[in-house]
Amino acid sequence: MRADALRNRERIVDAARELFAELGAEVPLDEVARRAGVGNATLYRNFPDRGALVLGVVQRVTDRIAERAERALGDAGDPFEALCGFVSGAVEERIGALCPLITQTVDHEHPEWVASRDRLQVFVDAVLVRAQEAGAVRTDVAVGDLLMALSQLSRPLPGTGCGRFEPFMARHIQLFLDGLRAPAGSELPGSPVTLEALRQPE
Amino acid sequence: MRADALRNRERIVDAARELFAELGAEVPLDEVARRAGVGNATLYRNFPDRGALVLGVVQRVTDRIAERAERALGDAGDPFEALCGFVSGAVEERIGALCPLITQTVDHEHPEWVASRDRLQVFVDAVLVRAQEAGAVRTDVAVGDLLMALSQLSRPLPGTGCGRFEPFMARHIQLFLDGLRAPAGSELPGSPVTLEALRQPE
Amino acid sequence: MRADALRNRERIVDAARELFAELGAEVPLDEVARRAGVGNATLYRNFPDRGALVLGVVQRVTDRIAERAERALGDAGDPFEALCGFVSGAVEERIGALCPLITQTVDHEHPEWVASRDRLQVFVDAVLVRAQEAGAVRTDVAVGDLLMALSQLSRPLPGTGCGRFEPFMARHIQLFLDGLRAPAGSELPGSPVTLEALRQPE
Amino acid sequence: MRADALRNRERIVDAARELFAELGAEVPLDEVARRAGVGNATLYRNFPDRGALVLGVVQRVTDRIAERAERALGDAGDPFEALCGFVSGAVEERIGALCPLITQTVDHEHPEWVASRDRLQVFVDAVLVRAQEAGAVRTDVAVGDLLMALSQLSRPLPGTGCGRFEPFMARHIQLFLDGLRAPAGSELPGSPVTLEALRQPE
DNA sequence: GATGAATGAGAGTTCATTCAT
DNA sequence: TATGAATGAACTCTCATTCAT
């Protein structure tokens, strides 16, 4: 019976991830339950409120992106190529839907979230630093710059049938990656950004 | 009383612009009315439904950004500097809130919107082409690339007290502008994007 | 200027009469004003609230039907024919919309209304009695029986494009008139009904 | 819990039937819910919009009247008496509130409604024809003449505390029934009316 | 543990009526 | 005086959440 329950939980998170990406974070939770093929009360049993569900999705996505970064680290080829590969993977994992979920509802003190976030940061940082040490990426940027900009550039636009704008996004992400290349094209305002910035002090 | 009515209309559009930027396109219309200092029915007299109000805001913002572009055109200085100045101005005008409003609710056949959009395109195109002809910007990008990416990079994040993330955005926009610089840093997928893309055929 | 004001008042009552008959007594008063070709505030100047407007319409219709009855009285031909002619005329005057307006909103103490009602009763009673005295109509019915049933049978049905059902109504009114004929086809429950019944004590 | 849900549905239809008859088809749905003793959202779960609720009520009433006709058919006594008994029963079932609901909101293509309507027609037709064959009722009338006129004559008048006018209605219905008696008292305009007329072609 | 149903709070929209020109 | 505009109350419908089976 526990296997069944776990499978339900998985299906709920998956359904929520898709729907959040397609229709935004405001989708009716009954809709999520329907897509997951469970009753709504089952959803509430697993995630007492919308915040808990969002946290579940955010962690899931974050962890999968961290895995991608870890895999990119193991890639022995050109460091910049590895970085680009990671970027594509992150987009596939729907990183574009991530930032709004985090800023809108995640509790930044929540230890599980902090752990996921830090793990993500460690691996992406390694991928980035390796490219910087190879002289391929300017040194005045940090992991938060990469991930936040990437998230924004691939962020879904409401009303677009989920994917309609992706061809454009690929161009714009490429332009951004060109802007990351060493030597620095211009001086950047502010300081390099890390993921802790997401919970900025007010 | 016509003067009074017009002033009310202005106040409603202004309030909506702010609230759409701060809280997204789903803000309660009663909230917009309250912020504008009018009764809710006054809002509905001027804008029969949410779509009409969104259209009003979109046109207002589009027109103001087009004016900025026109002014940048008159700037006799360095063409790339003029482009950067325009970009800053567009961000100030809250271009970041624009794309979602357009894709979500604007009727792409609506003649007034088409007129505003085309006017914007003409002026921004001129600013961009001038920089390209001066050899400062790569030639495989078009006005839609600039505006859509800019819009996404400056798009407000829900739950952030409107501005909290602007320091980061400035960095990321700068990186994107660096990516725009000639010579081209890499080959871009797809073709240069114009604003007609916003209404892409299905 | 008074002539103008009076003409406005007339136009408002006419518009209201048509709309009440077509769409029921709940039509928006702004709609009445539009149909009358005046501003809504002009309507409110003439009729402080919906009740006053309804009273105006009810009186107008009542008076016109009373005139028809008066004319039928002057008709020297067959008394039953005269009665039938009056009935047709009353239907043309939209008697079918009358009863609901009266029961719903008219103040039964209002002296002007009482005067109109009594005048109607006097004339219709005369038409009816004449037919009864000629032996054409059963004697156990009174003016209220005739007018209330007639009103119900010709009462507009909402959603019907005003007139779609009139062919049927003509049949049913004819059947009712046949039922009125002497000698009495059956014993009727209760007592003959007069128009005072419209304000029945509770 | 299905039993409970069904009971709720029943209570909602009953409450709606009463309120439609008392106050017309425009009663606030919240009022219906209150009268039924359920929350408003329960009403909306069962009947997604007002049209669905009206359809539910119309079907319920139609079916009950059809049952009455069926029972009248089984009555071995005088055919005209049986017809009169059916008429009384139909009035008790609130046939008077039926026509407006049908013309105002029912979708005349809706298969369930068509089925109910046709079933009603079959039984009432049988009752009527039997009286005609016994020589008691004129032969130039059909089931639609009977039911539509009956509906209009017993149609509730707004503002009357539901019943105040029933004594009169009984008289007028009796007069109408007298008019139905053979031999025909006069020639009727048009042709006999069936229930299909309710959806008349435009 | 899982489910369908119930609920109340809230959002969009309409309308009778009042105000300001 | 006549008008267009403003207003708040009311109504329909949705949705997060809780309950009963």
Side-chain angles (χ1 to χ4, degrees):
Chain A
M1 185 64 90
R2 173 170 307 155
D4 224 32
L6 256 186
R7 165 164 284 123
N8 270 347
R9 198 183 160 91
E10 293 292 298
R11 275 160 49 170
I12 290 168
V13 172
D14 285 343
R17 183 163 59 118
E18 285 177 28
L19 285 171
F20 288 167
E22 281 172 32
L23 303 171
E26 340 289 343
V27 275
L29 293 192
D30 281 20
E31 186 66 28
V32 175
R34 197 173 320 125
R35 174 84 70 111
V38 303
N40 62 354
T42 301
L43 187 155
Y44 278 94
R45 167 170 300 278
N46 284 278
F47 303 96
D49 57 17
R50 177 180 289 272
L53 178 57
V54 166
L55 182 62
V57 170
V58 163
Q59 277 204 80
R60 160 73 64 102
V61 174
T62 301
D63 290 345
R64 294 181 64 136
I65 295 174
E67 280 172 34
R68 296 260 192 177
E70 195 175 4
R71 256 179 280 153
L73 256 192
D75 178 346
D78 174 61
F80 193 77
E81 289 299 313
L83 176 62
C84 291
F86 162 73
V87 163
S88 301
V91 170
E92 271 174 34
E93 298 289 355
R94 304 270 197 195
I95 193 178
L98 206 57
C99 262
L101 294 179
I102 294 169
T103 57
Q104 194 168 30
T105 49
V106 168
D107 170 10
H108 298 294
E109 316 300 329
H110 195 296
E112 291 188 53
W113 157 238
V114 171
S116 282
R117 188 194 68 192
D118 289 349
R119 186 162 160 270
L120 174 68
Q121 176 149 272
V122 165
F123 287 116
V124 178
D125 188 57
V127 173
L128 182 62
V129 164
R130 200 172 59 159
Q132 286 171 324
E133 289 174 345
V137 168
R138 55 199 291 173
T139 55
D140 56 354
V141 298
V143 54
D145 291 308
L146 176 64
L147 291 180
M148 286 177 60
L150 182 57
S151 188
Q152 290 285 74
L153 285 172
S154 63
R155 186 166 162 196
L157 280 161
T160 70
C162 198
R164 240 179 77 192
F165 283 89
E166 274 154 24
F168 311 148
M169 292 175 180
R171 290 175 62 82
H172 306 153
I173 289 167
Q174 186 61 53
L175 286 166
F176 179 79
L177 289 173
D178 282 345
L180 282 185
R181 281 208 157 95
S186 66
E187 195 168 347
L188 295 182
S191 333
V193 175
T194 66
L195 289 188
E196 278 85 7
L198 283 172
R199 60 177 288 267
Q200 256 200 337
E202 323 164 31
Chain B
M1 181 164 268
R2 175 169 305 153
D4 227 31
L6 256 186
R7 166 163 286 124
N8 269 344
R9 201 183 159 91
E10 294 291 300
R11 277 159 49 170
I12 290 168
V13 172
D14 285 343
R17 183 162 60 117
E18 286 176 28
L19 285 170
F20 286 167
E22 281 171 32
L23 303 171
E26 339 288 343
V27 273
L29 294 191
D30 282 19
E31 186 66 29
V32 175
R34 198 171 320 123
R35 174 83 70 109
V38 303
N40 62 353
T42 299
L43 189 156
Y44 281 97
R45 163 178 287 276
N46 284 279
F47 302 96
D49 56 18
R50 178 180 289 271
L53 178 57
V54 167
L55 182 63
V57 169
V58 163
Q59 277 206 82
R60 160 73 65 102
V61 174
T62 300
D63 290 346
R64 294 181 65 136
I65 295 174
E67 280 170 35
R68 296 259 192 177
E70 196 175 5
R71 256 179 278 153
L73 255 192
D75 177 345
D78 175 61
F80 192 78
E81 289 300 313
L83 176 63
C84 292
F86 162 73
V87 163
S88 301
V91 171
E92 271 174 33
E93 298 289 356
R94 305 266 196 200
I95 193 178
L98 208 56
C99 262
L101 294 180
I102 293 169
T103 57
Q104 193 168 31
T105 49
V106 168
D107 169 12
H108 296 295
E109 315 300 329
H110 195 297
E112 291 189 54
W113 158 238
V114 172
S116 283
R117 190 196 66 192
D118 290 348
R119 185 160 161 271
L120 175 68
Q121 177 151 273
V122 165
F123 286 116
V124 177
D125 188 59
V127 173
L128 182 61
V129 165
R130 202 172 57 157
Q132 287 171 323
E133 289 175 345
V137 167
R138 57 200 289 175
T139 55
D140 56 355
V141 298
V143 53
D145 291 307
L146 175 63
L147 292 179
M148 286 177 61
L150 182 57
S151 188
Q152 290 285 73
L153 286 172
S154 62
R155 187 167 161 194
L157 281 161
T160 69
C162 198
R164 242 179 75 194
F165 283 88
E166 273 154 26
F168 310 147
M169 291 177 181
R171 290 175 62 83
H172 305 154
I173 290 167
Q174 186 60 53
L175 286 167
F176 179 79
L177 288 173
D178 283 344
L180 283 184
R181 282 212 156 93
S186 66
E187 194 168 348
L188 295 182
S191 334
V193 175
T194 66
L195 290 187
E196 278 86 8
L198 283 173
R199 63 176 286 269
Q200 257 200 338
E202 324 161 32
Chain C
M1 186 63 90
R2 173 169 307 156
D4 224 33
L6 256 187
R7 164 164 284 123
N8 270 346
R9 199 182 160 90
E10 294 290 299
R11 276 159 50 169
I12 290 168
V13 172
D14 284 344
R17 183 163 60 117
E18 286 176 28
L19 286 171
F20 287 167
E22 281 172 33
L23 304 172
E26 340 288 345
V27 274
L29 294 191
D30 282 19
E31 186 67 27
V32 175
R34 196 173 321 124
R35 175 81 71 109
V38 303
N40 62 354
T42 300
L43 188 155
Y44 278 94
R45 167 170 300 277
N46 283 278
F47 302 96
D49 58 17
R50 176 180 289 272
L53 177 58
V54 166
L55 182 61
V57 169
V58 163
Q59 277 205 79
R60 160 73 63 103
V61 174
T62 300
D63 290 346
R64 294 181 64 136
I65 295 175
E67 280 171 35
R68 296 259 193 178
E70 194 175 6
R71 256 180 278 155
L73 255 192
D75 178 345
D78 176 61
F80 192 77
E81 290 299 314
L83 176 63
C84 292
F86 162 72
V87 163
S88 300
V91 171
E92 270 174 35
E93 297 290 354
R94 306 268 197 196
I95 193 178
L98 207 56
C99 262
L101 294 180
I102 293 168
T103 57
Q104 194 168 31
T105 49
V106 168
D107 170 12
H108 298 293
E109 316 300 329
H110 195 295
E112 291 188 54
W113 157 238
V114 171
S116 282
R117 188 193 70 192
D118 289 349
R119 185 160 160 269
L120 175 68
Q121 177 150 272
V122 165
F123 287 116
V124 177
D125 187 59
V127 173
L128 181 62
V129 164
R130 201 171 59 159
Q132 286 171 324
E133 290 174 345
V137 167
R138 56 199 291 174
T139 55
D140 56 352
V141 299
V143 53
D145 292 307
L146 176 63
L147 291 180
M148 285 177 60
L150 182 58
S151 188
Q152 290 286 73
L153 285 172
S154 62
R155 186 166 161 195
L157 280 161
T160 69
C162 198
R164 239 179 78 191
F165 283 88
E166 274 154 25
F168 310 147
M169 292 176 180
R171 289 174 63 81
H172 305 154
I173 289 167
Q174 185 61 52
L175 286 167
F176 180 78
L177 289 173
D178 282 345
L180 283 184
R181 282 210 155 97
S186 67
E187 195 169 347
L188 295 182
S191 333
V193 176
T194 65
L195 291 187
E196 278 84 9
L198 284 172
R199 61 178 287 268
Q200 256 200 339
E202 321 164 32
Chain D
M1 181 164 268
R2 175 169 305 155
D4 227 31
L6 255 187
R7 166 163 286 125
N8 269 344
R9 200 184 158 91
E10 293 292 300
R11 276 158 50 169
I12 290 168
V13 173
D14 285 344
R17 183 162 60 119
E18 286 176 28
L19 285 171
F20 288 169
E22 281 172 32
L23 303 171
E26 338 289 345
V27 273
L29 294 191
D30 282 19
E31 184 67 27
V32 175
R34 198 172 320 124
R35 174 83 70 110
V38 303
N40 62 354
T42 300
L43 187 156
Y44 282 98
R45 163 179 288 276
N46 283 279
F47 303 96
D49 56 19
R50 178 181 290 271
L53 178 57
V54 167
L55 182 62
V57 169
V58 163
Q59 278 206 82
R60 159 74 65 103
V61 174
T62 300
D63 290 346
R64 294 181 65 136
I65 295 174
E67 280 171 36
R68 296 258 193 179
E70 196 175 6
R71 256 179 277 153
L73 255 192
D75 177 346
D78 174 61
F80 192 77
E81 289 300 313
L83 176 63
C84 292
F86 161 73
V87 163
S88 300
V91 171
E92 271 174 34
E93 297 290 356
R94 304 270 196 196
I95 194 179
L98 208 56
C99 261
L101 294 180
I102 293 168
T103 56
Q104 193 168 31
T105 48
V106 168
D107 170 11
H108 297 293
E109 316 300 329
H110 196 296
E112 291 188 55
W113 157 238
V114 171
S116 282
R117 190 194 66 191
D118 290 348
R119 186 160 160 272
L120 175 68
Q121 177 150 272
V122 165
F123 287 116
V124 178
D125 188 59
V127 173
L128 182 62
V129 164
R130 201 171 58 158
Q132 286 171 324
E133 290 174 344
V137 167
R138 56 198 292 173
T139 56
D140 56 353
V141 298
V143 53
D145 291 308
L146 176 63
L147 292 180
M148 285 177 61
L150 182 57
S151 189
Q152 290 285 74
L153 286 171
S154 63
R155 186 167 161 196
L157 281 161
T160 70
C162 195
R164 242 178 76 192
F165 282 89
E166 273 153 25
F168 310 148
M169 291 177 182
R171 290 174 63 81
H172 305 154
I173 288 167
Q174 187 60 53
L175 286 167
F176 179 79
L177 288 173
D178 282 345
L180 282 184
R181 282 209 156 96
S186 66
E187 196 169 345
L188 294 181
S191 332
V193 175
T194 66
L195 289 188
E196 278 85 8
L198 283 172
R199 62 176 286 270
Q200 257 200 338
E202 323 162 32

